[in-house]
Amino acid sequence: MKIYCKIACSVLVIIGFSCAYQSARAGAAAAIEYYVAASGGDSADGSAARPFKTIEAAKRQLDAIVKNGFEGDVAINIAPGTYRLDAPLVFESGVYGGGKANIVFRGDKSGGVIVSGSLAITNWQPAGKNIWSADVKGVLGEGRAIRNLYKDDKRLTRSRQPNGWQMFNIKAVENQESIVTLKLPIPEKIAPEDKAELIVLQNWSISKTLIDHSDAADAGRLYLTASAGFTEHPALIPKAGMSCFLENSKSFLDSPGEWYLDEKAGTLYYFASEGEDPGAGGLVAPILEKLVVITGDGNESVKNISFENISFRHTDFLLPGKKYSGLQASFYTREERDPIYSEPAAIELSFAENIVFKDCSVAHTGASGIGIGEGARGNRIEGCHLYDIGGNGINVGHRIRHMPVPPPGSPPLTNLSADWEKPELVPRNNDVSRNFVEYCGMVNYGAVGIFMAHSQRTLVSANTVAHMPYTGVSFGFNWSPKETSTRGNAIEYNHIYDVMNVLADGGGIYTLGYEPETTISRNLIHDIHRSKHTFGGAPNNGIFFDEGSAGIFVDLNIIYGLEKSAFPSTTEPVRFNNTKESNMKWGTNYFGIGPKNKKYPKELAEEILDKAAPEDARP
């Protein structure tokens, strides 16, 4: 028989410990429940009758009992409402190592529990026709920038030219990619105080570079503060013919939903729709980069923590220095010969075991959604909805620590594909199943829905992945056939469609490197697009086996609906680059066979769709 103790203050904590230990001696697990409600108070006792007001208050009580050795079940029950965090919820091995307690943060099944890394902006004043302004120094802090702004359930547009999906086109690049001339002049002069940026769409990545000023005599000539792009790779730098746009100047503020922050003055500007009053509420600025961080110390993992029915929303990711040089799948560098980084994730796990996110959602992030990093074992992301994600949706093999700087005089950076230094760092046995992942790469167009690098026995199963600017699912991260820690992974029963909407050289599924014992099986892949902004001739495909790909069993996959273009290879369901068909193992597949074809495997398609996360079952 379980003994249920509801405790909060220090006296009741002691009683709870006694209760727990007596129950443990009797052979039964003790259980503790806390309650959180927006109408509660943090000086309350956390009972159902007197709930805490904040999740942080409940976590402080949780920290205390776990640190003092409690070994039973703990539930933090959260009522519908919006709970804004001042700092990420951090679970470290000093308190949570070993996982003696079994902990669940449980939201209401209605989906109304929102954990937000934002603050509301309410002090708006009219500042011109449809232009409103707010003094945000007291909200954001003196001189602090933001790169994202949200209203209700929507990401707002940072002021830009041209508007929408219109683009400028590059005419010429000079002076080691530090001077870029556009084919058409820009409408307004750019000065250093604007902190405007040039965003260039490359083949499979983008670059963002701070503009110093525009040329007074030639309005299309831009002088940058650094060499744009990753100059160690010819495909990752601006070139004549590439599409681009400009962002972040008050002079670009000309369309409803756009905003601009004057960092120096601490004034935020917003272009409202006709009749809209932003002071009525719903407009929030993110102040956090991460919402949940679960990390052991390498000697002891954090274990046995679950999150259910919680919506995690609103994070930011500031431009690192003078530029962001996208490499691939949300990896980037900041300056020349700088370390290679993986974009931060709103939720990050490392040296963590049996951590579960079930029926949750992650949305409105400045960078990636969920990152499963080094030493992460047996964790599960199940039934979650990830959408409006700035970078990758879900990363397995997420590089929370950056890769080292090569010493002076060494060859160019080549460590993007670096394997883990020690076997104990390899993520293993993680499960990503029945999630609906859509609209990722909303800030970094080179991002993917689900990404896996250097991990073992990762299961990516029954997910729906859709509406991507680049690739849907990406597996492996080594550009050669040499053996790495990657092996025994499975991509199965996934429904992947409406991808490759902006960039090129990817597909529904993209693979790299030698992946023994890995399977790609029973996936339904269709509607692979070709953007008019794509640069060069790199094709888009249903499955793209890139450099070194080998050892993969490919069976019972359906691919159709590849958008035709001037490049014939774009229409190929499967592509091989620096590898070959014989490097894979093949079963029966249905390539280039759509629903109108008599040979279309209707029963197999229905089986996949029955298992894959339904779009109408969003948490």
Side-chain angles (χ1 to χ4, degrees):
M1 177 179 180
K2 291 185 177 180
I3 302 174
Y4 290 87
C5 305
K6 299 177 177 63
I7 63 177
C9 68
S10 58
V11 174
L12 289 179
V13 167
I14 295 172
I15 295 172
F17 290 154
S18 173
C19 175
Y21 293 142
Q22 291 174 9
S23 183
R25 284 195 294 271
I32 297 173
E33 291 192 48
Y34 297 117
Y35 291 83
V36 180
S39 60
D42 283 355
S43 60
D45 62 10
S47 64
R50 300 182 63 233
F52 293 123
K53 182 178 180 65
T54 67
I55 296 172
E56 292 95 327
K59 185 176 178 297
R60 284 193 291 271
Q61 294 298 328
L62 178 66
D63 291 346
I65 64 169
V66 173
K67 191 172 183 178
N68 281 280
F70 180 73
E71 297 185 4
D73 295 337
V74 185
I76 294 89
N77 302 292
I78 309 171
T82 297
Y83 301 88
R84 302 192 190 280
L85 302 179
D86 295 325
L89 300 173
V90 178
F91 301 83
E92 296 179 306
S93 55
V95 176
Y96 294 92
K100 294 180 181 179
N102 188 43
I103 301 160
V104 58
F105 288 78
R106 184 181 293 122
D108 185 88
K109 287 188 177 181
S110 68
V113 174
I114 298 172
V115 175
S116 173
S118 71
L119 289 175
I121 307 296
T122 58
N123 57 331
W124 294 98
Q125 300 293 328
K129 182 173 174 53
N130 293 334
I131 302 291
W132 295 70
S133 68
D135 184 344
V136 293
K137 289 192 294 294
V139 176
L140 301 178
E142 192 75 30
R144 188 189 186 279
I146 58 171
R147 293 185 64 86
N148 296 277
L149 194 68
Y150 309 99
K151 188 175 191 298
D152 299 324
D153 202 31
K154 180 182 179 182
R155 181 188 302 270
L156 299 174
T157 301
R158 203 166 178 233
S159 63
R160 61 172 286 171
Q161 284 289 341
N163 290 327
W165 279 101
Q166 300 177 78
M167 297 281 172
F168 289 119
N169 203 260
I170 295 177
K171 179 180 179 181
V173 180
E174 308 167 60
N175 197 32
Q176 297 180 323
E177 292 77 42
S178 66
I179 301 175
V180 173
T181 302
L182 308 179
K183 289 184 178 181
L184 294 175
I186 60 175
E188 300 287 344
K189 180 181 176 182
I190 294 175
E193 55 267 25
D194 290 330
K195 293 194 173 181
E197 297 166 18
L198 171 70
I199 292 87
V200 180
L201 278 59
Q202 295 148 182
N203 270 23
W204 61 84
S205 68
I206 67 169
S207 64
K208 308 175 187 179
T209 313
L210 194 65
I211 301 170
D212 185 79
H213 65 281
S214 57
D215 194 313
D218 182 355
R221 189 175 172 88
L222 307 175
Y223 293 82
L224 311 180
T225 60
S227 296
F230 182 62
T231 57
E232 304 292 350
H233 195 300
L236 303 180
I237 56 176
K239 292 182 179 180
M242 285 184 171
S243 296
C244 65
F245 61 94
L246 309 181
E247 194 174 72
N248 197 48
S249 171
K250 189 178 179 183
S251 65
F252 303 160
L253 196 63
D254 60 1
S255 181
E258 288 191 341
W259 63 274
Y260 169 73
L261 174 65
D262 183 332
E263 294 179 28
K264 186 175 181 180
T267 303
L268 181 63
Y269 295 91
Y270 175 66
F271 195 114
S273 299
E274 194 68 37
E276 179 187 0
D277 178 3
L283 207 151
V284 300
I287 59 169
L288 298 182
E289 187 177 81
K290 304 173 186 179
L291 301 177
V292 178
V293 176
I294 302 174
T295 178
D297 60 10
N299 296 315
E300 188 174 46
S301 294
V302 174
K303 300 180 180 179
N304 305 330
I305 303 175
S306 297
F307 299 83
E308 299 177 0
N309 301 308
I310 298 174
S311 295
F312 297 94
R313 297 184 184 176
H314 308 130
T315 65
D316 206 5
F317 176 47
L318 299 180
L319 181 72
K322 297 178 180 179
K323 70 175 189 177
Y324 169 104
S325 299
L327 301 178
Q328 187 167 331
S330 291
F331 280 77
Y332 71 97
T333 60
R334 297 173 173 174
E335 307 292 347
E336 294 304 306
R337 304 193 61 76
D338 207 39
I340 293 175
Y341 298 82
S342 180
E343 287 187 7
I347 296 169
E348 289 190 341
L349 283 60
S350 60
F351 295 108
E353 297 183 30
N354 193 32
I355 307 300
V356 177
F357 286 83
K358 183 179 180 182
D359 297 333
C360 293
S361 69
V362 182
H364 313 319
T365 66
S368 294
I370 300 176
I372 300 175
E374 59 187 357
R377 311 285 175 87
N379 303 295
R380 181 159 47 95
I381 313 299
E382 178 186 348
C384 294
H385 182 204
L386 290 92
Y387 65 99
D388 189 30
I389 303 295
N392 292 348
I394 300 173
N395 288 347
V396 182
H398 180 64
R399 290 276 183 172
I400 294 172
R401 294 182 300 116
H402 68 257
M403 301 178 189
V405 182
S410 62
L413 287 168
T414 57
N415 57 3
L416 179 61
S417 61
D419 202 353
W420 301 104
E421 299 92 337
K422 302 176 182 178
E424 57 267 29
L425 301 181
V426 180
R428 292 192 175 99
N429 300 313
N430 295 293
D431 187 338
V432 178
S433 295
R434 287 191 60 77
N435 303 289
F436 182 29
V437 183
E438 62 172 342
Y439 296 107
C440 300
M442 297 297 288
V443 177
N444 169 19
Y445 304 150
V448 303
I450 300 175
F451 172 78
M452 185 285 296
H454 300 316
S455 71
Q456 295 180 5
R457 296 185 293 279
T458 304
L459 177 62
V460 176
S461 176
N463 302 283
T464 294
V465 181
H467 319 309
M468 298 289 162
Y470 181 55
T471 289
V473 176
S474 182
F475 256 46
F477 220 52
N478 185 67
W479 282 255
S480 80
K482 73 176 184 180
E483 187 168 354
T484 67
S485 60
T486 302
R487 65 187 314 111
N489 302 296
I491 315 172
E492 63 181 34
Y493 288 107
N494 299 289
H495 182 202
I496 304 167
Y497 70 97
D498 190 30
V499 300
M500 302 304 303
N501 282 296
V502 181
L503 301 182
D505 216 19
I509 294 175
Y510 173 89
T511 74
L512 276 169
Y514 178 48
E515 304 187 42
E517 305 166 24
T518 290
T519 60
I520 297 176
S521 176
R522 291 178 168 83
N523 298 285
L524 176 60
I525 303 170
H526 59 96
D527 292 308
I528 312 299
H529 299 294
R530 183 81 182 180
S531 168
K532 66 179 181 180
H533 303 300
T534 297
F535 177 79
N540 302 334
N541 306 92
I543 301 177
F544 180 7
F545 295 105
D546 206 353
E547 297 191 39
S549 293
I552 303 169
F553 179 52
V554 187
D555 186 39
L556 294 173
N557 298 285
I558 306 169
I559 300 175
Y560 67 90
L562 284 84
E563 188 172 322
K564 295 181 179 180
S565 75
F567 304 96
S569 56
T570 304
T571 60
E572 294 175 1
V574 178
R575 176 188 172 201
F576 304 92
N577 180 54
N578 288 332
T579 186
K580 52 188 178 180
E581 185 175 352
S582 60
N583 288 338
M584 317 301 161
K585 300 175 183 178
W586 299 90
T588 300
N589 293 279
Y590 301 89
F591 295 155
I593 301 174
K596 294 181 180 180
N597 191 311
K598 292 181 180 180
K599 295 182 179 180
Y600 182 71
K602 183 178 179 181
E603 291 184 2
L604 174 60
E606 289 177 349
E607 179 188 7
I608 295 169
L609 291 172
D610 284 345
K611 289 181 178 291
E615 295 188 29
D616 59 354
R618 304 177 182 185

